Amino acid sequence: MKHPARSRRSKGLTRALVRRGARSSKAPLVAQKRSERLREPTICASCGAIFLHRTWRRRSLAADRLDGASWDICPACAQVRRGEYYGRVVARNPTRLADRDAIVRRTCNVGRRSAFTQPERRIVSFDFDEAGLEVLTTSQRLAHRIARELVKAFGGRASFRWSGEDGSLLATWETAQATR
């Protein structure tokens, strides 16, 4: 059944054309933070990530393109050097001291896997003492992923609190008290 053509636009189409609140440039935020544009390809001198097609990735580069590549520091390496973080995972009441190594391994594996697929997401610092665990990450998503993986592997519950000021995330992982 055919619908008659409408002479006016529907509200859906009108609302779709409103661009208020949208970025004028659809470039990734990483590419927008720098004052000068990075030359492609650019290789990070510290971690070896490659900036190509306006994104940082871990990949190999053909030999002919490697000669013309410029060298710089990627934003994640600069962020780690400054100690700047946007995600924080705090673990309270760790289950048992014997699980400490497993918790550290799981957290490092999640961070390593994330850094391989998306070099912008890294663990900035890792602090484990008798009070608990604190992991600082370069992105909110990595902190969220670490907290979720700890819940999946060791139980407990995670709560998340986003800051409106700087956009950081505080992820809190709590386990039940260990029985003695």
Side-chain angles (χ1 to χ4, degrees):
M1 178 175 174
K2 283 186 162 183
H3 294 289
R6 294 184 182 179
S7 60
R8 293 187 307 162
R9 291 184 182 170
S10 67
K11 286 185 179 180
L13 288 176
T14 304
R15 288 181 183 140
L17 295 174
V18 174
R19 300 287 185 229
R20 187 176 59 197
R23 295 191 320 258
S24 61
S25 168
K26 295 298 181 179
L29 293 177
V30 173
Q32 291 179 2
K33 287 182 183 177
R34 297 181 63 99
S35 58
E36 74 279 354
R37 185 172 174 166
L38 283 175
R39 200 171 135 235
E40 293 186 13
T42 299
I43 302 172
C44 179
S46 137
C47 70
I50 298 173
F51 183 76
L52 190 62
H53 303 295
R54 298 189 339 186
T55 186
W56 288 95
R57 295 283 183 214
R58 294 228 190 266
R59 59 172 67 124
S60 59
L61 200 59
D64 60 338
R65 296 206 59 187
L66 189 61
D67 293 336
S70 61
W71 293 81
D72 202 356
I73 301 295
C74 71
C77 288
Q79 200 173 347
V80 169
R81 285 183 184 169
R82 289 190 307 263
E84 182 180 348
Y85 63 92
Y86 289 102
R88 184 171 159 218
V89 180
V90 176
R92 297 187 182 143
N93 303 329
T95 54
R96 292 178 293 280
L97 211 51
D99 284 343
R100 176 183 174 163
D101 292 334
I103 292 170
V104 170
R105 274 196 316 270
R106 185 68 178 159
T107 304
C108 289
N109 285 342
V110 170
R112 193 176 313 120
R113 186 177 64 222
S114 177
F116 179 76
T117 57
Q118 296 171 328
E120 295 294 317
R121 298 183 181 165
R122 305 236 187 101
I123 292 177
V124 175
S125 71
F126 196 89
D127 185 30
F128 205 134
D129 55 7
E130 55 275 342
L133 163 76
E134 181 183 52
V135 181
L136 303 178
T137 64
T138 58
S139 72
Q140 298 174 349
R141 291 181 185 212
L142 179 57
H144 196 276
R145 183 180 294 164
I146 288 172
R148 278 193 348 235
E149 290 291 328
L150 290 175
V151 168
K152 282 190 339 189
F154 303 105
R157 54 180 232 124
S159 60
F160 305 100
R161 210 171 72 218
W162 282 266
S163 170
E165 297 170 6
D166 61 351
S168 63
L169 168 70
L170 171 63
T172 306
W173 174 56
E174 295 179 302
T175 61
Q177 290 286 351
T179 57
R180 296 181 188 192

